[in-house]
Amino acid sequence: MGCIFCKIVRGEIPCSKVFENEKFFAFLDIGPINKGHTLVIPKKHYKNLFDMPEEELKGYMEVIQKVSKAVMKGVDADGVNINMSNESAAGQVVMHAHVHIIPRIKGDGLKLWPQGKYKEGEMQTVRDKIVNYL
Ligand code: AMP
Ligand code: ZN
């Protein structure tokens, strides 16, 4: 398969590995937002969150928490953003599920996304549409 992250898991492409267990793998992002920016991936190829079976999720979040703590300490960060882009409309470029752990330093100047506004009554309508699918 041509997936770049599958190749990293198999050791066919070099990476700066920070963690590995039976099911998950973590390595430094090659284009860090801040130094220490780390990606955590399932070793098995899933396209994104929607593809991952429920039984994988607890273990995934445990690894994300464990690696986040190490990143925080390792680069002396003040916080982390944990981000996962799902589908290209959300900015997903590599189509193998991955969570970004982005270390944040006080005053690093990174801006959060802009906040919008709902019109009168719109919030309730949107909420009702979502709840329909749960
Ligand atoms: P996304 O936009 O969420 O799909 O993020 C893909 C991420 O993978 C980007 O932040 C890239 O810098 C990172 N990336 C792509 N190729 C490599 C690689 N060979 N080693 C480490 N990180 C990579
Ligand atoms: Zn893959």
Side-chain angles (χ1 to χ4, degrees):
M1 197 204 282
C3 171
I4 189 166
F5 286 178
C6 282
K7 286 182 181 164
I8 284 176
V9 170
R10 292 196 296 261
E12 293 165 17
I13 290 181
C15 76
S16 294
K17 179 170 89 177
V18 297
F19 180 80
E20 177 178 15
N21 68 11
E22 191 200 333
K23 288 187 160 184
F24 303 101
F25 194 95
F27 55 102
L28 294 187
D29 192 299
I30 207 167
I33 292 174
N34 270 335
K35 304 282 165 66
H37 179 169
T38 300
L39 301 175
V40 184
I41 66 174
K43 286 184 172 175
K44 199 167 166 197
H45 183 93
Y46 300 110
K47 183 181 177 195
N48 56 37
L49 182 65
F50 303 123
D51 251 15
M52 292 185 70
E54 199 177 327
E55 58 269 21
E56 295 273 33
L57 301 180
K58 183 171 177 284
Y60 197 22
M61 192 47 86
E62 283 167 0
V63 170
I64 290 162
Q65 185 194 49
K66 183 185 181 75
V67 174
S68 292
K69 286 179 179 174
V71 168
M72 280 279 284
K73 289 193 175 138
V75 300
D76 201 19
D78 302 306
V80 292
N81 287 116
I82 293 173
N83 174 274
M84 186 177 198
S85 303
N86 296 281
E87 303 295 343
S88 46
Q92 184 179 3
V93 174
V94 177
M95 293 297 163
H96 179 131
H98 55 281
V99 162
H100 295 256
I101 296 171
I102 304 158
R104 297 298 305 272
I105 313 296
K106 272 182 200 146
D108 63 16
L110 291 171
K111 292 266 191 287
L112 294 175
W113 291 334
Q115 283 187 291
K117 272 188 181 158
Y118 288 110
K119 292 184 201 126
E120 181 78 35
E122 196 184 9
M123 205 168 177
Q124 182 69 32
T125 311
V126 172
R127 177 256 174 215
D128 291 347
K129 282 185 190 169
I130 294 169
V131 167
N132 242 347
Y133 292 99
L134 291 170

